[in-house]
Amino acid sequence: MPEISRRGFAGLVGGGAVTAVAGTATATAAGAAERPFRARPAGRPGRRPNFLFIIADDLGWADLSSYGSPHIRTPHLDRLAAQGVRFTDAYAGSATCSPTRFSLYTGRYPGRTKGGLAEPIASRTQGLDPSHPTLASLLRKAGYDTALIGKWHCGWLPDHSPTKSGWDEFFGNFGGALEYFSKLGQDGSYDLYEGDATYQDLRYYTTVLTERAVDHVSRRRSRPWLLNLNFTTPHWPWIAEGDEEEAARLAARVRGGDVMGGLRHDDGGSVEKYKEMVESLDTAVGKVLAALRRSGQEDDTVVVFSSDNGGERFSYQWPLSGEKASLLEGGIRVPTLVRWPARLDGRQVSHEPVYSPDWTATLLELGGARPDPAYPLDGHSLAGYLLRGEDVPERDLFWRVRGNRALRRGDWKYYRDANGGDHLYDLGTDVREQADLAAARPGLLAELRAAWEKVDAGLLPYPAR
């Protein structure tokens, strides 16, 4: 028998200190204390829901006031949390942008596809193979209208595009970063598109995306719909509404050939500017949710809000260690909120460990879509847990990035650092990952390492550098 099994739900708190901090913040922000998640008794089957999946870019686990931020105020997202379920132990599919998007769009480990091996995609030869089934293509086959607004980051034209991978409509940017006003992207070219054609709009990007999303959710349709709304906020450069002068300086550097230096904005930004950007994201989400409510579709729409990876330079991460690009908790644990008024009660908190590929499987099941048997999912549907109170199946959460590895089983986490050192942490008592129990539990360490290597053996190898 394995040395450990998953602990009971009541014990899966994902770090007692973390839950206490985040739970207290949410009670204050939402006006009433959260209660442990419990599925609502099933009523009559309703119509298939719409799906609004919102992704923030480089937003850290504790950057929302409902997750414990002491200085960032996010009333709209706090309200979303109060209206549904807040997950304390939710993870991104990887520690950087495009691999996580691969894991969400395909429901599979990023390492199962060539494009997913890039961490993140930077070359125009890399991307999501249009022949690979996606969340959008499978839902479209099941009768859904599909659209993606915002950051794609899974390949460039002419070979890769959301409209080549199952989305009926696309408005946004192809690359991993862009200057918020000029729309200059990571290779220095203009990067705002409607479908496959460039679209000129030099206003602040978050504002532009919000307007598009408000228009989209306000439409009346005869069929259910999927909207992936992918903001670039609060990803660098550290530019907020009203920062046109700083934006022009960075755009000039990009045009002059200093592309990544200009976009990465290493000589700018601050905690206060980051706060301003996160709060503008909160306002944007609030506008989209208000439009959804006015449209009369709120009750029948599943809203998921999450981030593509952990936070970066100015993010508030406490008490987690690590940040974006690392497989320590700060690099992969992300805020995640789920609301579905027709089927889920509000003011609830779940401590179940879940991650990006699980949401793919969940939305497919809720939408009555079947995965392609030739491309089996790595995620597990949470529909039974959310709707019927079933236990989440016992399984390991697996991550692989070049130079790091991690696997979570229950509260135990196996982690290998960039120097090749293996570590073992009990996240139930040490979410900060400071008490390394590898020497004290060598058998458990070996068991989890073997489990990681078994999954890894079925993935594509990294190309030689």
Side-chain angles (χ1 to χ4, degrees), residues 105 128 130 134 136-137 140 146-157 160-174 195-196 230:
Y105 298 155
L128 176 57
T134 64
S137 68
R140 184 168 71 175
T146 59
L148 190 150
I149 295 175
K151 176 176 171 176
W152 164 240
H153 206 189
C154 287
W156 280 269
L157 292 170
H160 310 101
S161 169
T163 57
K164 297 179 185 295
S165 290
W167 283 268
D168 299 315
E169 301 177 42
F170 169 59
F171 178 86
N173 61 301
F174 283 98
D196 293 349
N230 300 347

PDB file of all heavy atoms in Angstrom, residues 105 128 130 134 136-137 140 146-157 160-174 195-196 230:
ATOM      1  N   TYR A 105      -6.732  24.990 -22.406  1.00  0.00           N
ATOM      2  CA  TYR A 105      -7.401  24.813 -23.695  1.00  0.00           C
ATOM      3  C   TYR A 105      -7.499  23.339 -24.091  1.00  0.00           C
ATOM      4  O   TYR A 105      -8.463  22.930 -24.728  1.00  0.00           O
ATOM      5  CB  TYR A 105      -6.660  25.586 -24.787  1.00  0.00           C
ATOM      6  CG  TYR A 105      -6.617  27.078 -24.559  1.00  0.00           C
ATOM      7  CD1 TYR A 105      -5.602  27.858 -25.103  1.00  0.00           C
ATOM      8  CD2 TYR A 105      -7.581  27.725 -23.786  1.00  0.00           C
ATOM      9  CE1 TYR A 105      -5.552  29.227 -24.894  1.00  0.00           C
ATOM     10  CE2 TYR A 105      -7.533  29.091 -23.563  1.00  0.00           C
ATOM     11  CZ  TYR A 105      -6.510  29.837 -24.119  1.00  0.00           C
ATOM     12  OH  TYR A 105      -6.457  31.196 -23.907  1.00  0.00           O
ATOM     13  N   LEU A 128      -0.104  26.082 -30.678  1.00  0.00           N
ATOM     14  CA  LEU A 128      -1.067  25.005 -30.475  1.00  0.00           C
ATOM     15  C   LEU A 128      -1.500  24.465 -31.828  1.00  0.00           C
ATOM     16  O   LEU A 128      -2.054  25.193 -32.656  1.00  0.00           O
ATOM     17  CB  LEU A 128      -2.273  25.532 -29.698  1.00  0.00           C
ATOM     18  CG  LEU A 128      -3.437  24.570 -29.457  1.00  0.00           C
ATOM     19  CD1 LEU A 128      -2.974  23.310 -28.739  1.00  0.00           C
ATOM     20  CD2 LEU A 128      -4.535  25.262 -28.668  1.00  0.00           C
ATOM     21  N   PRO A 130      -3.547  23.268 -34.669  1.00  0.00           N
ATOM     22  CA  PRO A 130      -4.986  23.424 -34.914  1.00  0.00           C
ATOM     23  C   PRO A 130      -5.755  22.109 -34.980  1.00  0.00           C
ATOM     24  O   PRO A 130      -6.976  22.106 -34.821  1.00  0.00           O
ATOM     25  CB  PRO A 130      -5.032  24.159 -36.264  1.00  0.00           C
ATOM     26  CG  PRO A 130      -3.733  24.876 -36.352  1.00  0.00           C
ATOM     27  CD  PRO A 130      -2.738  23.960 -35.691  1.00  0.00           C
ATOM     28  N   THR A 134      -9.793  21.149 -28.555  1.00  0.00           N
ATOM     29  CA  THR A 134      -9.694  22.123 -27.476  1.00  0.00           C
ATOM     30  C   THR A 134     -11.030  22.239 -26.747  1.00  0.00           C
ATOM     31  O   THR A 134     -12.063  21.743 -27.208  1.00  0.00           O
ATOM     32  CB  THR A 134      -9.314  23.514 -28.015  1.00  0.00           C
ATOM     33  OG1 THR A 134     -10.380  23.977 -28.863  1.00  0.00           O
ATOM     34  CG2 THR A 134      -8.003  23.482 -28.776  1.00  0.00           C
ATOM     35  N   ALA A 136     -12.774  24.811 -26.676  1.00  0.00           N
ATOM     36  CA  ALA A 136     -13.675  25.516 -27.583  1.00  0.00           C
ATOM     37  C   ALA A 136     -14.192  24.614 -28.695  1.00  0.00           C
ATOM     38  O   ALA A 136     -15.386  24.617 -29.007  1.00  0.00           O
ATOM     39  CB  ALA A 136     -12.968  26.736 -28.174  1.00  0.00           C
ATOM     40  N   SER A 137     -13.303  23.838 -29.316  1.00  0.00           N
ATOM     41  CA  SER A 137     -13.746  23.011 -30.445  1.00  0.00           C
ATOM     42  C   SER A 137     -14.717  21.925 -29.994  1.00  0.00           C
ATOM     43  O   SER A 137     -15.685  21.602 -30.692  1.00  0.00           O
ATOM     44  CB  SER A 137     -12.545  22.393 -31.168  1.00  0.00           C
ATOM     45  OG  SER A 137     -11.890  21.419 -30.363  1.00  0.00           O
ATOM     46  N   ARG A 140     -18.018  23.659 -29.162  1.00  0.00           N
ATOM     47  CA  ARG A 140     -18.665  24.076 -30.402  1.00  0.00           C
ATOM     48  C   ARG A 140     -19.333  22.888 -31.084  1.00  0.00           C
ATOM     49  O   ARG A 140     -20.452  22.990 -31.598  1.00  0.00           O
ATOM     50  CB  ARG A 140     -17.642  24.723 -31.341  1.00  0.00           C
ATOM     51  CG  ARG A 140     -18.274  25.270 -32.617  1.00  0.00           C
ATOM     52  CD  ARG A 140     -17.316  26.150 -33.384  1.00  0.00           C
ATOM     53  NE  ARG A 140     -16.232  25.399 -33.999  1.00  0.00           N
ATOM     54  CZ  ARG A 140     -15.319  25.946 -34.800  1.00  0.00           C
ATOM     55  NH1 ARG A 140     -15.341  27.256 -35.052  1.00  0.00           N
ATOM     56  NH2 ARG A 140     -14.368  25.212 -35.324  1.00  0.00           N
ATOM     57  N   THR A 146     -18.629  30.115 -29.480  1.00  0.00           N
ATOM     58  CA  THR A 146     -17.362  30.238 -28.763  1.00  0.00           C
ATOM     59  C   THR A 146     -16.637  31.519 -29.171  1.00  0.00           C
ATOM     60  O   THR A 146     -16.662  31.912 -30.339  1.00  0.00           O
ATOM     61  CB  THR A 146     -16.446  29.032 -29.051  1.00  0.00           C
ATOM     62  OG1 THR A 146     -16.187  28.955 -30.456  1.00  0.00           O
ATOM     63  CG2 THR A 146     -17.106  27.731 -28.589  1.00  0.00           C
ATOM     64  N   ALA A 147     -15.979  32.149 -28.211  1.00  0.00           N
ATOM     65  CA  ALA A 147     -15.221  33.374 -28.498  1.00  0.00           C
ATOM     66  C   ALA A 147     -14.079  33.495 -27.507  1.00  0.00           C
ATOM     67  O   ALA A 147     -14.168  33.023 -26.361  1.00  0.00           O
ATOM     68  CB  ALA A 147     -16.126  34.602 -28.413  1.00  0.00           C
ATOM     69  N   LEU A 148     -13.011  34.135 -27.951  1.00  0.00           N
ATOM     70  CA  LEU A 148     -11.874  34.450 -27.083  1.00  0.00           C
ATOM     71  C   LEU A 148     -11.573  35.930 -27.249  1.00  0.00           C
ATOM     72  O   LEU A 148     -11.352  36.399 -28.364  1.00  0.00           O
ATOM     73  CB  LEU A 148     -10.659  33.590 -27.416  1.00  0.00           C
ATOM     74  CG  LEU A 148      -9.484  33.652 -26.428  1.00  0.00           C
ATOM     75  CD1 LEU A 148      -8.721  32.328 -26.400  1.00  0.00           C
ATOM     76  CD2 LEU A 148      -8.504  34.798 -26.736  1.00  0.00           C
ATOM     77  N   ILE A 149     -11.545  36.648 -26.141  1.00  0.00           N
ATOM     78  CA  ILE A 149     -11.218  38.067 -26.119  1.00  0.00           C
ATOM     79  C   ILE A 149     -10.005  38.248 -25.219  1.00  0.00           C
ATOM     80  O   ILE A 149     -10.024  37.851 -24.054  1.00  0.00           O
ATOM     81  CB  ILE A 149     -12.400  38.905 -25.606  1.00  0.00           C
ATOM     82  CG1 ILE A 149     -13.589  38.803 -26.574  1.00  0.00           C
ATOM     83  CG2 ILE A 149     -12.004  40.364 -25.417  1.00  0.00           C
ATOM     84  CD1 ILE A 149     -14.849  39.498 -26.079  1.00  0.00           C
ATOM     85  N   GLY A 150      -8.934  38.840 -25.781  1.00  0.00           N
ATOM     86  CA  GLY A 150      -7.744  39.122 -24.986  1.00  0.00           C
ATOM     87  C   GLY A 150      -6.526  38.338 -25.425  1.00  0.00           C
ATOM     88  O   GLY A 150      -6.339  38.034 -26.602  1.00  0.00           O
ATOM     89  N   LYS A 151      -5.716  37.971 -24.465  1.00  0.00           N
ATOM     90  CA  LYS A 151      -4.406  37.363 -24.727  1.00  0.00           C
ATOM     91  C   LYS A 151      -4.553  35.891 -25.117  1.00  0.00           C
ATOM     92  O   LYS A 151      -5.090  35.088 -24.364  1.00  0.00           O
ATOM     93  CB  LYS A 151      -3.533  37.511 -23.479  1.00  0.00           C
ATOM     94  CG  LYS A 151      -2.168  36.834 -23.566  1.00  0.00           C
ATOM     95  CD  LYS A 151      -1.356  37.144 -22.316  1.00  0.00           C
ATOM     96  CE  LYS A 151      -0.085  36.338 -22.227  1.00  0.00           C
ATOM     97  NZ  LYS A 151       0.749  36.701 -21.061  1.00  0.00           N
ATOM     98  N   TRP A 152      -4.003  35.536 -26.267  1.00  0.00           N
ATOM     99  CA  TRP A 152      -4.015  34.163 -26.771  1.00  0.00           C
ATOM    100  C   TRP A 152      -2.756  33.436 -26.335  1.00  0.00           C
ATOM    101  O   TRP A 152      -2.799  32.445 -25.622  1.00  0.00           O
ATOM    102  CB  TRP A 152      -4.142  34.206 -28.291  1.00  0.00           C
ATOM    103  CG  TRP A 152      -3.822  32.970 -29.060  1.00  0.00           C
ATOM    104  CD1 TRP A 152      -2.843  32.837 -30.027  1.00  0.00           C
ATOM    105  CD2 TRP A 152      -4.499  31.697 -29.020  1.00  0.00           C
ATOM    106  NE1 TRP A 152      -2.858  31.576 -30.573  1.00  0.00           N
ATOM    107  CE2 TRP A 152      -3.871  30.855 -29.970  1.00  0.00           C
ATOM    108  CE3 TRP A 152      -5.545  31.193 -28.277  1.00  0.00           C
ATOM    109  CZ2 TRP A 152      -4.261  29.537 -30.192  1.00  0.00           C
ATOM    110  CZ3 TRP A 152      -5.947  29.879 -28.490  1.00  0.00           C
ATOM    111  CH2 TRP A 152      -5.307  29.073 -29.435  1.00  0.00           C
ATOM    112  N   HIS A 153      -1.605  33.868 -26.783  1.00  0.00           N
ATOM    113  CA  HIS A 153      -0.286  33.362 -26.395  1.00  0.00           C
ATOM    114  C   HIS A 153      -0.114  31.861 -26.629  1.00  0.00           C
ATOM    115  O   HIS A 153       0.545  31.170 -25.843  1.00  0.00           O
ATOM    116  CB  HIS A 153       0.027  33.706 -24.938  1.00  0.00           C
ATOM    117  CG  HIS A 153       1.509  33.788 -24.671  1.00  0.00           C
ATOM    118  ND1 HIS A 153       2.040  33.900 -23.406  1.00  0.00           N
ATOM    119  CD2 HIS A 153       2.572  33.749 -25.518  1.00  0.00           C
ATOM    120  CE1 HIS A 153       3.364  33.934 -23.481  1.00  0.00           C
ATOM    121  NE2 HIS A 153       3.713  33.842 -24.749  1.00  0.00           N
ATOM    122  N   CYS A 154      -0.715  31.379 -27.697  1.00  0.00           N
ATOM    123  CA  CYS A 154      -0.524  29.974 -28.082  1.00  0.00           C
ATOM    124  C   CYS A 154      -0.134  29.877 -29.551  1.00  0.00           C
ATOM    125  O   CYS A 154      -0.470  28.892 -30.227  1.00  0.00           O
ATOM    126  CB  CYS A 154      -1.795  29.172 -27.803  1.00  0.00           C
ATOM    127  SG  CYS A 154      -2.093  28.871 -26.048  1.00  0.00           S
ATOM    128  N   GLY A 155       0.584  30.872 -30.043  1.00  0.00           N
ATOM    129  CA  GLY A 155       1.090  30.845 -31.403  1.00  0.00           C
ATOM    130  C   GLY A 155       0.577  32.004 -32.246  1.00  0.00           C
ATOM    131  O   GLY A 155      -0.432  32.634 -31.927  1.00  0.00           O
ATOM    132  N   TRP A 156       1.316  32.279 -33.322  1.00  0.00           N
ATOM    133  CA  TRP A 156       1.007  33.417 -34.188  1.00  0.00           C
ATOM    134  C   TRP A 156       0.484  32.959 -35.551  1.00  0.00           C
ATOM    135  O   TRP A 156       0.670  31.808 -35.965  1.00  0.00           O
ATOM    136  CB  TRP A 156       2.273  34.250 -34.427  1.00  0.00           C
ATOM    137  CG  TRP A 156       2.645  35.184 -33.326  1.00  0.00           C
ATOM    138  CD1 TRP A 156       2.277  36.482 -33.174  1.00  0.00           C
ATOM    139  CD2 TRP A 156       3.525  34.909 -32.214  1.00  0.00           C
ATOM    140  NE1 TRP A 156       2.854  37.035 -32.058  1.00  0.00           N
ATOM    141  CE2 TRP A 156       3.623  36.091 -31.449  1.00  0.00           C
ATOM    142  CE3 TRP A 156       4.226  33.775 -31.799  1.00  0.00           C
ATOM    143  CZ2 TRP A 156       4.393  36.186 -30.296  1.00  0.00           C
ATOM    144  CZ3 TRP A 156       4.992  33.854 -30.649  1.00  0.00           C
ATOM    145  CH2 TRP A 156       5.078  35.047 -29.911  1.00  0.00           C
ATOM    146  N   LEU A 157      -0.130  33.900 -36.230  1.00  0.00           N
ATOM    147  CA  LEU A 157      -0.482  33.692 -37.627  1.00  0.00           C
ATOM    148  C   LEU A 157       0.789  33.498 -38.447  1.00  0.00           C
ATOM    149  O   LEU A 157       1.852  33.986 -38.068  1.00  0.00           O
ATOM    150  CB  LEU A 157      -1.242  34.919 -38.152  1.00  0.00           C
ATOM    151  CG  LEU A 157      -2.639  35.146 -37.564  1.00  0.00           C
ATOM    152  CD1 LEU A 157      -3.157  36.511 -37.998  1.00  0.00           C
ATOM    153  CD2 LEU A 157      -3.594  34.035 -37.990  1.00  0.00           C
ATOM    154  N   HIS A 160      -1.206  29.583 -36.471  1.00  0.00           N
ATOM    155  CA  HIS A 160      -1.891  29.395 -35.197  1.00  0.00           C
ATOM    156  C   HIS A 160      -2.790  30.587 -34.897  1.00  0.00           C
ATOM    157  O   HIS A 160      -2.412  31.734 -35.128  1.00  0.00           O
ATOM    158  CB  HIS A 160      -0.879  29.220 -34.064  1.00  0.00           C
ATOM    159  CG  HIS A 160       0.174  28.205 -34.358  1.00  0.00           C
ATOM    160  ND1 HIS A 160       1.449  28.550 -34.775  1.00  0.00           N
ATOM    161  CD2 HIS A 160       0.156  26.849 -34.333  1.00  0.00           C
ATOM    162  CE1 HIS A 160       2.161  27.449 -34.979  1.00  0.00           C
ATOM    163  NE2 HIS A 160       1.395  26.408 -34.712  1.00  0.00           N
ATOM    164  N   SER A 161      -3.951  30.290 -34.359  1.00  0.00           N
ATOM    165  CA  SER A 161      -4.911  31.339 -34.025  1.00  0.00           C
ATOM    166  C   SER A 161      -6.080  30.706 -33.280  1.00  0.00           C
ATOM    167  O   SER A 161      -6.393  29.520 -33.490  1.00  0.00           O
ATOM    168  CB  SER A 161      -5.420  32.024 -35.296  1.00  0.00           C
ATOM    169  OG  SER A 161      -6.515  32.865 -35.011  1.00  0.00           O
ATOM    170  N   PRO A 162      -6.766  31.465 -32.400  1.00  0.00           N
ATOM    171  CA  PRO A 162      -7.976  30.919 -31.781  1.00  0.00           C
ATOM    172  C   PRO A 162      -9.002  30.460 -32.813  1.00  0.00           C
ATOM    173  O   PRO A 162      -9.667  29.429 -32.600  1.00  0.00           O
ATOM    174  CB  PRO A 162      -8.500  32.105 -30.955  1.00  0.00           C
ATOM    175  CG  PRO A 162      -7.290  32.915 -30.642  1.00  0.00           C
ATOM    176  CD  PRO A 162      -6.415  32.798 -31.855  1.00  0.00           C
ATOM    177  N   THR A 163      -9.139  31.187 -33.911  1.00  0.00           N
ATOM    178  CA  THR A 163     -10.139  30.801 -34.906  1.00  0.00           C
ATOM    179  C   THR A 163      -9.745  29.538 -35.663  1.00  0.00           C
ATOM    180  O   THR A 163     -10.572  28.949 -36.356  1.00  0.00           O
ATOM    181  CB  THR A 163     -10.372  31.949 -35.905  1.00  0.00           C
ATOM    182  OG1 THR A 163      -9.137  32.315 -36.527  1.00  0.00           O
ATOM    183  CG2 THR A 163     -10.961  33.163 -35.201  1.00  0.00           C
ATOM    184  N   LYS A 164      -8.498  29.111 -35.545  1.00  0.00           N
ATOM    185  CA  LYS A 164      -8.075  27.834 -36.127  1.00  0.00           C
ATOM    186  C   LYS A 164      -8.199  26.692 -35.119  1.00  0.00           C
ATOM    187  O   LYS A 164      -7.998  25.527 -35.477  1.00  0.00           O
ATOM    188  CB  LYS A 164      -6.620  27.930 -36.613  1.00  0.00           C
ATOM    189  CG  LYS A 164      -6.393  28.950 -37.729  1.00  0.00           C
ATOM    190  CD  LYS A 164      -4.918  28.995 -38.131  1.00  0.00           C
ATOM    191  CE  LYS A 164      -4.665  30.101 -39.151  1.00  0.00           C
ATOM    192  NZ  LYS A 164      -5.359  29.865 -40.425  1.00  0.00           N
ATOM    193  N   SER A 165      -8.514  27.020 -33.852  1.00  0.00           N
ATOM    194  CA  SER A 165      -8.541  26.018 -32.780  1.00  0.00           C
ATOM    195  C   SER A 165      -9.881  25.947 -32.063  1.00  0.00           C
ATOM    196  O   SER A 165      -9.944  25.524 -30.911  1.00  0.00           O
ATOM    197  CB  SER A 165      -7.429  26.312 -31.761  1.00  0.00           C
ATOM    198  OG  SER A 165      -6.153  26.051 -32.316  1.00  0.00           O
ATOM    199  N   GLY A 166     -10.954  26.368 -32.732  1.00  0.00           N
ATOM    200  CA  GLY A 166     -12.273  26.125 -32.170  1.00  0.00           C
ATOM    201  C   GLY A 166     -13.059  27.333 -31.732  1.00  0.00           C
ATOM    202  O   GLY A 166     -14.251  27.205 -31.410  1.00  0.00           O
ATOM    203  N   TRP A 167     -12.450  28.509 -31.694  1.00  0.00           N
ATOM    204  CA  TRP A 167     -13.186  29.699 -31.294  1.00  0.00           C
ATOM    205  C   TRP A 167     -13.777  30.367 -32.533  1.00  0.00           C
ATOM    206  O   TRP A 167     -13.070  30.642 -33.506  1.00  0.00           O
ATOM    207  CB  TRP A 167     -12.280  30.666 -30.547  1.00  0.00           C
ATOM    208  CG  TRP A 167     -12.010  30.244 -29.135  1.00  0.00           C
ATOM    209  CD1 TRP A 167     -12.710  30.600 -28.024  1.00  0.00           C
ATOM    210  CD2 TRP A 167     -10.959  29.369 -28.675  1.00  0.00           C
ATOM    211  NE1 TRP A 167     -12.169  30.011 -26.894  1.00  0.00           N
ATOM    212  CE2 TRP A 167     -11.093  29.251 -27.272  1.00  0.00           C
ATOM    213  CE3 TRP A 167      -9.920  28.689 -29.310  1.00  0.00           C
ATOM    214  CZ2 TRP A 167     -10.248  28.473 -26.498  1.00  0.00           C
ATOM    215  CZ3 TRP A 167      -9.075  27.913 -28.544  1.00  0.00           C
ATOM    216  CH2 TRP A 167      -9.233  27.805 -27.150  1.00  0.00           C
ATOM    217  N   ASP A 168     -15.066  30.666 -32.492  1.00  0.00           N
ATOM    218  CA  ASP A 168     -15.731  31.299 -33.621  1.00  0.00           C
ATOM    219  C   ASP A 168     -15.245  32.728 -33.811  1.00  0.00           C
ATOM    220  O   ASP A 168     -15.154  33.210 -34.947  1.00  0.00           O
ATOM    221  CB  ASP A 168     -17.256  31.344 -33.394  1.00  0.00           C
ATOM    222  CG  ASP A 168     -17.864  29.968 -33.255  1.00  0.00           C
ATOM    223  OD1 ASP A 168     -17.513  29.091 -34.057  1.00  0.00           O
ATOM    224  OD2 ASP A 168     -18.698  29.783 -32.347  1.00  0.00           O
ATOM    225  N   GLU A 169     -14.959  33.411 -32.711  1.00  0.00           N
ATOM    226  CA  GLU A 169     -14.563  34.817 -32.759  1.00  0.00           C
ATOM    227  C   GLU A 169     -13.299  35.020 -31.930  1.00  0.00           C
ATOM    228  O   GLU A 169     -13.098  34.370 -30.906  1.00  0.00           O
ATOM    229  CB  GLU A 169     -15.671  35.711 -32.194  1.00  0.00           C
ATOM    230  CG  GLU A 169     -17.005  35.611 -32.896  1.00  0.00           C
ATOM    231  CD  GLU A 169     -18.052  36.478 -32.213  1.00  0.00           C
ATOM    232  OE1 GLU A 169     -17.725  37.617 -31.826  1.00  0.00           O
ATOM    233  OE2 GLU A 169     -19.193  36.016 -32.059  1.00  0.00           O
ATOM    234  N   PHE A 170     -12.475  35.970 -32.383  1.00  0.00           N
ATOM    235  CA  PHE A 170     -11.276  36.343 -31.635  1.00  0.00           C
ATOM    236  C   PHE A 170     -11.066  37.836 -31.750  1.00  0.00           C
ATOM    237  O   PHE A 170     -11.130  38.417 -32.839  1.00  0.00           O
ATOM    238  CB  PHE A 170     -10.043  35.610 -32.151  1.00  0.00           C
ATOM    239  CG  PHE A 170      -8.739  36.144 -31.600  1.00  0.00           C
ATOM    240  CD1 PHE A 170      -8.497  36.149 -30.236  1.00  0.00           C
ATOM    241  CD2 PHE A 170      -7.755  36.648 -32.442  1.00  0.00           C
ATOM    242  CE1 PHE A 170      -7.302  36.648 -29.715  1.00  0.00           C
ATOM    243  CE2 PHE A 170      -6.559  37.142 -31.941  1.00  0.00           C
ATOM    244  CZ  PHE A 170      -6.329  37.144 -30.572  1.00  0.00           C
ATOM    245  N   PHE A 171     -10.801  38.462 -30.608  1.00  0.00           N
ATOM    246  CA  PHE A 171     -10.372  39.857 -30.569  1.00  0.00           C
ATOM    247  C   PHE A 171      -9.329  39.958 -29.472  1.00  0.00           C
ATOM    248  O   PHE A 171      -9.620  39.694 -28.300  1.00  0.00           O
ATOM    249  CB  PHE A 171     -11.541  40.787 -30.250  1.00  0.00           C
ATOM    250  CG  PHE A 171     -11.128  42.241 -30.164  1.00  0.00           C
ATOM    251  CD1 PHE A 171     -11.066  43.025 -31.307  1.00  0.00           C
ATOM    252  CD2 PHE A 171     -10.781  42.806 -28.949  1.00  0.00           C
ATOM    253  CE1 PHE A 171     -10.676  44.359 -31.230  1.00  0.00           C
ATOM    254  CE2 PHE A 171     -10.380  44.132 -28.860  1.00  0.00           C
ATOM    255  CZ  PHE A 171     -10.336  44.911 -30.006  1.00  0.00           C
ATOM    256  N   GLY A 172      -8.093  40.297 -29.846  1.00  0.00           N
ATOM    257  CA  GLY A 172      -7.071  40.399 -28.820  1.00  0.00           C
ATOM    258  C   GLY A 172      -5.668  40.374 -29.391  1.00  0.00           C
ATOM    259  O   GLY A 172      -5.440  40.707 -30.558  1.00  0.00           O
ATOM    260  N   ASN A 173      -4.725  39.935 -28.559  1.00  0.00           N
ATOM    261  CA  ASN A 173      -3.313  39.905 -28.950  1.00  0.00           C
ATOM    262  C   ASN A 173      -2.803  38.472 -28.993  1.00  0.00           C
ATOM    263  O   ASN A 173      -3.231  37.622 -28.207  1.00  0.00           O
ATOM    264  CB  ASN A 173      -2.454  40.746 -27.997  1.00  0.00           C
ATOM    265  CG  ASN A 173      -2.492  40.261 -26.559  1.00  0.00           C
ATOM    266  OD1 ASN A 173      -3.542  40.196 -25.943  1.00  0.00           O
ATOM    267  ND2 ASN A 173      -1.331  39.919 -26.018  1.00  0.00           N
ATOM    268  N   PHE A 174      -1.888  38.227 -29.901  1.00  0.00           N
ATOM    269  CA  PHE A 174      -1.349  36.879 -30.081  1.00  0.00           C
ATOM    270  C   PHE A 174      -0.192  36.585 -29.134  1.00  0.00           C
ATOM    271  O   PHE A 174       0.002  35.446 -28.722  1.00  0.00           O
ATOM    272  CB  PHE A 174      -0.876  36.691 -31.527  1.00  0.00           C
ATOM    273  CG  PHE A 174      -1.993  36.454 -32.498  1.00  0.00           C
ATOM    274  CD1 PHE A 174      -2.497  37.493 -33.260  1.00  0.00           C
ATOM    275  CD2 PHE A 174      -2.553  35.200 -32.650  1.00  0.00           C
ATOM    276  CE1 PHE A 174      -3.534  37.284 -34.149  1.00  0.00           C
ATOM    277  CE2 PHE A 174      -3.588  34.972 -33.535  1.00  0.00           C
ATOM    278  CZ  PHE A 174      -4.087  36.021 -34.295  1.00  0.00           C
ATOM    279  N   GLY A 195     -10.142  38.782 -35.330  1.00  0.00           N
ATOM    280  CA  GLY A 195      -9.964  37.654 -36.229  1.00  0.00           C
ATOM    281  C   GLY A 195      -8.512  37.588 -36.671  1.00  0.00           C
ATOM    282  O   GLY A 195      -7.599  37.598 -35.842  1.00  0.00           O
ATOM    283  N   ASP A 196      -8.284  37.555 -37.955  1.00  0.00           N
ATOM    284  CA  ASP A 196      -6.919  37.473 -38.487  1.00  0.00           C
ATOM    285  C   ASP A 196      -6.433  38.798 -39.050  1.00  0.00           C
ATOM    286  O   ASP A 196      -5.400  38.848 -39.724  1.00  0.00           O
ATOM    287  CB  ASP A 196      -6.857  36.403 -39.594  1.00  0.00           C
ATOM    288  CG  ASP A 196      -7.077  34.998 -39.037  1.00  0.00           C
ATOM    289  OD1 ASP A 196      -7.065  34.853 -37.802  1.00  0.00           O
ATOM    290  OD2 ASP A 196      -7.267  34.068 -39.837  1.00  0.00           O
ATOM    291  N   ASN A 230      -9.413  36.929 -21.519  1.00  0.00           N
ATOM    292  CA  ASN A 230      -8.032  36.856 -21.031  1.00  0.00           C
ATOM    293  C   ASN A 230      -7.415  38.249 -20.969  1.00  0.00           C
ATOM    294  O   ASN A 230      -6.913  38.770 -21.972  1.00  0.00           O
ATOM    295  CB  ASN A 230      -7.193  35.976 -21.959  1.00  0.00           C
ATOM    296  CG  ASN A 230      -7.712  34.553 -22.063  1.00  0.00           C
ATOM    297  OD1 ASN A 230      -8.543  34.125 -21.281  1.00  0.00           O
ATOM    298  ND2 ASN A 230      -7.216  33.815 -23.038  1.00  0.00           N
TER     299      ASN A 230
END
